Amino acid sequence: VHYIASNIARVPFKIYSGDTVIENAPVTQLFKQPNPYMTTNQLFEATASWMKCRGECFWVYDIFLEQENRSAMLPQQIGLVDPDKMEEKIDEQGRVTLWLYHKQGDKKPIPILPDELIHFHYWNKWNPRRGCNRSSCR
C-alpha cells in the first residue's frame, strides 16, 4: 500500500481552467497546504492509503476549525478522518442526510453535513453508501 500511495502522491497536482494552469487562487493555496498537519503529497498519499486499506476515504472540510469559522464558500482546510469513525444517518429515501464523526475521546459525535465533505468509496455490494476494499468484498 505504501509504495502505491507514495507513487500516486508523486504525480504533480495542478488545477486548470480550460487549458490554463491556475497558480495563484484560493483553491490552489488550499491544496498547497490542505491543513496545518499535511502537505499536498501527504493528502494524496493518505487518500490512496485509506482507499486501498478501507475502500473509502473522507475529506472533511474545516474539521480542525471552530464551528463559527466553517461558513466560508471555499473550505479553509481539508482534513482526513478514519472511515471507521464515520456513521451515516439515512432518510426514508435511503439518502445520507448527516454524517457523525466519533472522534476518539469525545463522548458526543461531531455532526457533518454531506456538503461539508467528499466521500470517496469503492463499490460495495452490501452497502451502496459505504466503501469496501477489494479483499473484504469477495
Side-chain angles (χ1 to χ4, degrees):
V1 169
H2 170 72
Y3 292 116
I4 293 168
S6 61
N7 278 315
I8 288 171
R10 290 177 43 204
V11 175
F13 178 74
K14 296 180 181 177
I15 298 175
Y16 288 85
S17 176
D19 293 333
T20 306
V21 175
I22 300 173
E23 295 189 27
N24 292 318
V27 70
T28 57
Q29 297 308 313
L30 174 63
F31 279 98
K32 283 181 183 175
Q33 186 71 48
N35 65 61
Y37 314 104
M38 294 184 135
T39 64
T40 305
N41 289 15
Q42 289 170 322
L43 175 70
F44 288 113
E45 183 176 357
T47 300
S49 296
W50 279 121
M51 292 296 292
K52 294 298 280 177
C53 293
R54 293 283 200 266
E56 62 184 340
C57 178
F58 289 88
W59 283 10
V60 181
Y61 306 133
D62 300 333
I63 196 162
F64 302 115
L65 299 178
E66 296 300 320
Q67 190 67 36
E68 60 270 7
N69 295 329
R70 292 170 138 191
S71 60
M73 290 294 285
L74 181 70
Q76 310 279 313
Q77 299 177 3
I78 300 170
L80 281 84
V81 295
D82 182 345
D84 289 343
K85 298 193 181 333
M86 295 294 284
E87 173 190 358
E88 69 272 21
K89 294 297 179 183
I90 310 298
D91 68 10
E92 301 81 32
Q93 288 80 32
R95 295 178 299 214
V96 176
T97 58
L98 185 70
W99 289 95
L100 296 175
Y101 172 51
H102 298 275
K103 186 177 175 184
Q104 189 166 348
D106 286 359
K107 300 246 188 249
K108 187 176 177 185
I110 299 170
I112 304 170
L113 295 171
D115 62 350
E116 294 179 313
L117 60 77
I118 297 177
H119 180 210
F120 303 96
H121 59 98
Y122 293 135
W123 177 76
N124 179 344
K125 65 184 176 184
W126 298 288
N127 183 345
R129 291 173 294 279
R130 297 303 299 256
C132 186
N133 70 12
R134 194 169 217 194
S135 62
S136 63
C137 282
R138 293 183 182 168

